[in-house]
Amino acid sequence: MSDTQTIPATQSDADRALKQKHRAMWASGDYARLASELIWRLGPRLVAATAVQPGERVLDIAAGSGNVAIPAALHGATVVASDLTPELFDVGRRLATEAGAELEWREADAEALPFADRSFDAVLSCVGVMFAPHHQQAADELVRVTARGGRIGLISWTPDGFIGRMFKTMKPFAAPLPEGAQPAPLWGDEHHVRELLGDRVDDVVANRQTVTIDALATPEAFRDYFKAHYGPTIAVYNRIADDPDQVRALDDALVALAAEQGFGVNGEPMQWEYLLLTARKR
């Protein structure tokens, strides 16, 4: 693969600080465990939806511990797993070795990818690129590194699904978004993603689907699991840690959300909604 690339615009000090904050957030807790225990099955779904083939060049943006990259490599593709938070790669490398998959792990900012134009036959991201703060920059980059006629495949939590509603529940307790940043669940809105990609893609197919969550039995178990393992939730709790009333209020709000959504009712598992969108670059 060529090392030449389009040079992204120089980042400001504020942008660099924001990216360091994001990296620290995702390094906190244990996202690799959460991904493995709750949503690992989403990776193979995205690989199947984009029809990854042996020998193709595939980029997984915001790959985390590899729930897309590893299945793509097992399909025989030449895969690069990229993420702003390389702390997640150690678990990814172990999982890849256990699965018998060979791939490259590369630290990379989704808004300034260190890859040449048109480098990949398929560019994928599973609940990953949606968390890049500047949506248009991230969309421009993923289109840029996709080959002409190549495929783009995205899985993103929807605004009205459970995870989207969780972010709405946490919003009153969270720090305001920096200027120019947009809420992550907007990537789960088909209209928003179509606008981001614009006329640079054809054959857009978007479907709302769900993933079954059966590893958490009660609303309290959900809350405690996310407090311990999920970076964005940990960041919110850290922000209000010195205010016991706020902590209790958020505790209660998350339990109420899960109960409202039927979490653990009559032993039924939760269904978390996401948008699966595929497109082909012109």
Side-chain angles (χ1 to χ4, degrees):
M1 189 178 300
S2 171
D3 290 331
T4 61
Q5 65 185 77
T6 297
I7 303 299
T10 302
Q11 289 187 338
S12 67
D13 289 343
D15 281 338
R16 283 190 289 271
L18 177 59
K19 296 305 171 60
Q20 286 301 314
K21 183 177 179 180
H22 272 236
R23 174 175 173 170
M25 178 180 72
W26 289 107
S28 67
D30 191 350
Y31 181 75
R33 176 177 172 182
L34 184 150
S36 295
E37 293 181 343
L38 301 185
I39 60 170
W40 194 263
R41 70 197 78 178
L42 294 181
R45 290 184 190 179
L46 187 56
V47 170
T50 50
V52 169
Q53 300 296 314
E56 290 190 315
R57 301 160 298 166
V58 174
L59 174 65
D60 182 6
I61 298 177
S65 52
N67 68 328
V68 171
I70 292 171
L74 292 174
H75 272 65
T78 299
V79 179
V80 177
S82 68
D83 203 287
L84 184 68
T85 308
E87 289 86 344
L88 300 173
F89 291 168
D90 287 343
V91 173
R93 291 188 179 98
R94 176 177 59 78
L95 293 173
T97 298
E98 291 173 356
E102 294 185 6
L103 60 149
E104 178 183 350
W105 301 86
R106 183 86 174 265
E107 181 178 350
D109 180 352
E111 297 178 4
L113 294 170
F115 307 112
D117 297 356
R118 302 181 295 278
S119 291
F120 298 94
D121 302 301
V123 176
L124 314 178
S125 187
C126 177
V127 295
V129 72
M130 65 180 290
F131 291 101
H134 306 107
H135 293 190
Q136 192 61 64
Q137 286 179 233
D140 291 348
E141 280 294 274
L142 71 88
V143 172
R144 178 183 67 78
V145 300
T146 305
R148 293 190 181 97
R151 287 103 61 215
I152 293 167
L154 306 168
I155 283 179
S156 307
W157 301 122
T158 63
D160 297 327
F162 183 77
I163 297 298
R165 295 190 65 184
M166 183 190 75
F167 276 95
K168 290 178 185 176
T169 299
M170 295 193 300
K171 183 177 178 180
F173 305 90
L177 287 175
E179 183 178 356
Q182 293 177 283
L186 279 177
W187 279 85
D189 180 323
E190 177 184 347
H191 177 71
H192 180 69
V193 182
R194 283 180 176 271
E195 285 194 333
L196 293 175
L197 300 178
D199 61 2
R200 299 172 293 182
V201 299
D202 292 311
D203 303 330
V204 177
V205 177
N207 295 294
R208 292 190 175 208
Q209 301 182 13
T210 60
V211 59
T212 300
I213 304 298
D214 51 15
L216 304 172
T218 68
E220 291 79 9
F222 150 74
R223 178 200 61 201
D224 293 344
Y225 189 93
F226 269 66
K227 282 178 71 171
H229 301 306
Y230 193 56
T233 306
I234 293 169
V236 174
Y237 273 101
N238 286 343
R239 182 173 185 266
I240 62 174
D242 293 333
D243 188 333
D245 291 338
Q246 287 282 86
V247 171
R248 280 192 295 271
L250 181 53
D251 278 348
D252 293 344
L254 290 175
V255 167
L257 171 68
E260 176 189 331
Q261 295 291 292
F263 213 126
V265 174
N266 298 322
E268 292 295 322
M270 271 294 271
Q271 302 294 327
W272 291 358
E273 185 182 71
Y274 60 89
L275 181 75
L276 194 162
L277 184 143
T278 60
R280 185 174 298 276
K281 182 175 174 179
R282 287 185 178 175

